[in-house]
Amino acid sequence: MKALQQAVSCLDGYDPDALPVETARAAIRSVIVPVSANERVAARASLGRVLGEDIVSTVDVPAHDNSAMDGWAVRAADLRPDGETRLREAGVAYAGRKFDGAVAPGECVRVMTGAVMPAGTDTVVIQEVVRAEGGRIVVPLGQKQGQNRRLAGEDLALGRVVLRAGHAVRPAELGLIASLGLAEVAVRRKVRVAFFSTGDELASVGTALKEGEVYDSNRYTLYGMLARLGVELVDLGVVRDDPAALERAFHEAAAGADAIVSSGGVSVGEADFTRELLGRLGEVLFWKIAMRPGRPMAFGRIGGAWFFGLPGNPVAVMVTFYGFVREALLALAGRSGDCAPPVLRVPSATALRKKPGRTEFQRGILERGANGEWTARITGSQGSGVLRSMSEANCFIVLEHERGDVKAGDPVSVQLFEGLA
Ligand code: AMP
Ligand code: MG
């Protein structure tokens, strides 16, 4: 038995002719190994990338204790326990311009937000509760020692691992990187993905349609989904249903890419010759996944590249991409942790028909009614060729493997496109 086959066939519920979605995901997850090479990039260029090394703080952020408010910095020990305290103002400290002297007992310093705490003070009294009287600052009863003071290192402490390798860089991480003063960071190299469409009926955009032809839309949705993941793209165009042409395409794709994504050619009737070809070029498993849409799918390895053979139907391409390929490519890119999009539970606005024994990804609209409550309803036609259903939808309504018919008002699982796509 070949290696891949062996690795996945011991998974619970592994049956290539009726593979539950979760088992297929687990199978893919269990074999993918992340790319390991790093490159150093300017801090801003790391947005959307995966950190290649832990980032350890070489400084305290903030570097000094400082005031969290506009007010007066005082010595808490000076404050009387039984009434107002009168203090002499010894000077002013601004953010970026500290008070140089030491603050003696009975004294206070006017401070602005972000100003370094003057030596000797430990507490900030906000300006709204203080009054000036007879050349003195009058502090009312009820102040707590240490109040309104930010401690050095409270955001990022010296020596602490601030971000771990495998963490994705989002706007907050860019800010953290900048707050440590780092101009460059190490990120994982980008994953390279080659993609193409297969089919004798496909016409490329910009040419006139002949009878029986359709425009190749899959390569555009694939381009969009891949580009959003931040991978490097290699577009290999349309490949005809011809063994020699397919073989050339697979060779070219496997030579330079970490992953290959194709559409079409895996349905009953087409799978046989693709299977024979891929059996020679690498190790590819043909799966019938217990899902709708997207039943046929191929997964395997061709040379140095992972291969995802998606179905040809335009909606099935998107559903299988988001169901399997997205997470696999994120894992390949070195992302740690669970990258699956969150699932919400909301009432279904209508009854839905569903057969137990397969997972359905219905195209849905999550919306808020006049009563302020969120519900989900399906878009019109759910045919796997109706790409409009993906465009009208803002979520998948995921009807789980074992689930049967849904009654109006029953909770359903919803995966938002926002954040996913
Ligand atoms: P297949 O899986 O190759 O049998 O294709 C299933 C259906 O999807 C057929 O109706 C194809 O014409 C259609 N299809 C396949 N590839 C594409 C594509 N790249 N763009 C648009 N439709 C496609
Ligand atoms: Mg085809």
Side-chain angles (χ1 to χ4, degrees):
M1 203 192 272
K2 287 198 173 174
L4 201 56
Q5 171 81 49
Q6 204 159 15
V8 303
S9 59
C10 55
L11 287 166
D12 249 11
Y14 185 78
D15 170 0
D17 288 320
L19 194 56
V21 168
E22 285 313 322
T23 312
R25 288 155 75 114
I28 295 172
R29 246 194 331 260
S30 71
V31 292
I32 294 257
V33 180
V35 299
S36 54
N38 284 345
E39 60 195 28
R40 294 193 71 77
V41 296
R44 282 187 183 180
S46 71
L47 184 63
R49 304 289 296 270
V50 179
L51 289 176
E53 291 169 3
D54 291 354
I55 293 185
V56 178
S57 183
T58 51
V59 289
D60 271 331
V61 178
H64 307 277
D65 290 2
N66 68 85
S67 177
M69 301 291 280
D70 291 346
W72 276 266
V74 303
R75 308 162 62 101
D78 284 351
L79 302 179
R80 297 169 51 149
D82 54 352
E84 293 180 332
T85 307
R86 290 164 180 273
L87 299 169
R88 192 184 78 80
E89 185 178 299
V92 188
Y94 299 94
R97 214 171 346 135
K98 70 191 244 271
F99 172 75
D100 271 331
V103 179
E107 289 183 342
C108 64
V109 172
R110 177 89 172 107
V111 286
M112 303 304 159
T113 304
V116 172
M117 291 294 286
T121 67
D122 55 9
T123 299
V124 173
V125 182
I126 59 171
Q127 62 189 16
E128 288 80 359
V129 303
V130 163
R131 65 176 200 280
E133 200 178 279
R136 288 285 184 271
I137 297 300
V138 183
V139 175
L141 196 60
Q143 312 303 318
K144 283 203 191 67
Q145 191 196 1
Q147 72 187 14
N148 304 318
R149 174 190 53 166
R150 302 174 184 140
L151 295 174
E154 80 174 20
D155 189 354
L156 306 172
L158 172 74
R160 200 188 118 182
V161 176
V162 178
L163 295 166
R164 299 236 172 242
H167 198 103
V169 179
R170 300 166 302 173
E173 284 74 22
L174 275 188
L176 281 178
I177 289 165
S179 69
L180 292 172
L182 299 174
E184 283 190 343
V185 287
V187 294
R188 292 281 162 86
R189 75 164 173 82
K190 281 190 180 180
V191 167
R192 250 169 102 81
V193 181
F195 65 110
F196 58 87
S197 301
T198 67
D200 283 337
E201 76 282 29
L202 302 180
S204 288
V205 171
T207 63
L209 276 189
K210 295 198 204 67
E211 179 156 354
E213 287 187 338
V214 292
Y215 283 118
D216 169 20
S217 63
N218 288 347
R219 216 151 36 88
Y220 285 74
T221 40
L222 274 177
Y223 166 84
M225 295 186 291
L226 289 165
R228 286 273 185 100
L229 287 183
V231 300
E232 224 171 82
L233 296 173
V234 185
D235 183 347
L236 296 179
V238 174
V239 180
R240 299 294 154 202
D241 291 320
D242 158 43
L246 262 182
E247 182 161 355
R248 276 196 304 278
F250 280 121
H251 269 301
E252 187 182 347
D258 301 298
I260 304 166
V261 182
S262 68
S263 75
V266 293
S267 57
V268 180
E270 291 187 312
D272 290 346
F273 95 123
T274 318
R275 181 182 286 134
E276 187 276 323
L277 171 65
L278 291 177
R280 273 193 291 119
L281 299 182
E283 191 190 352
V284 176
L285 309 173
F286 281 75
W287 289 340
K288 291 195 184 80
I289 299 186
M291 70 190 285
R292 198 163 118 150
R295 196 163 116 89
M297 192 180 129
F299 169 69
R301 190 125 179 107
I302 303 172
W306 295 104
F307 169 62
F308 301 89
L310 308 186
N313 273 309
V315 180
V317 167
M318 298 195 78
V319 170
T320 48
F321 185 94
Y322 288 131
F324 306 104
V325 185
R326 175 182 171 275
E327 270 184 80
L329 293 181
L330 291 175
L332 194 56
R335 279 272 288 268
S336 57
D338 186 2
C339 299
V343 171
L344 315 174
R345 297 280 286 178
V346 297
S348 176
T350 62
L352 299 171
R353 297 186 62 80
K354 161 73 168 62
K355 273 201 199 125
R358 67 183 186 208
T359 305
E360 290 193 10
F361 294 82
Q362 305 212 351
R363 274 72 70 211
I365 298 173
L366 179 68
E367 62 191 357
R368 190 152 58 169
N371 61 0
E373 300 296 325
W374 290 89
T375 59
R377 65 183 167 90
I378 52 170
T379 61
S381 168
Q382 293 285 311
S384 65
V386 183
L387 192 54
R388 189 164 41 84
S389 68
M390 281 298 293
S391 173
E392 287 169 359
N394 64 7
C395 65
F396 285 126
I397 299 175
V398 185
L399 301 176
E400 295 83 356
H401 190 87
E402 295 306 339
R403 189 143 188 189
D405 288 343
V406 174
K407 294 195 293 295
D410 281 356
V412 286
S413 297
V414 158
Q415 244 171 22
L416 278 181
F417 287 176
E418 205 53 54
L420 177 71

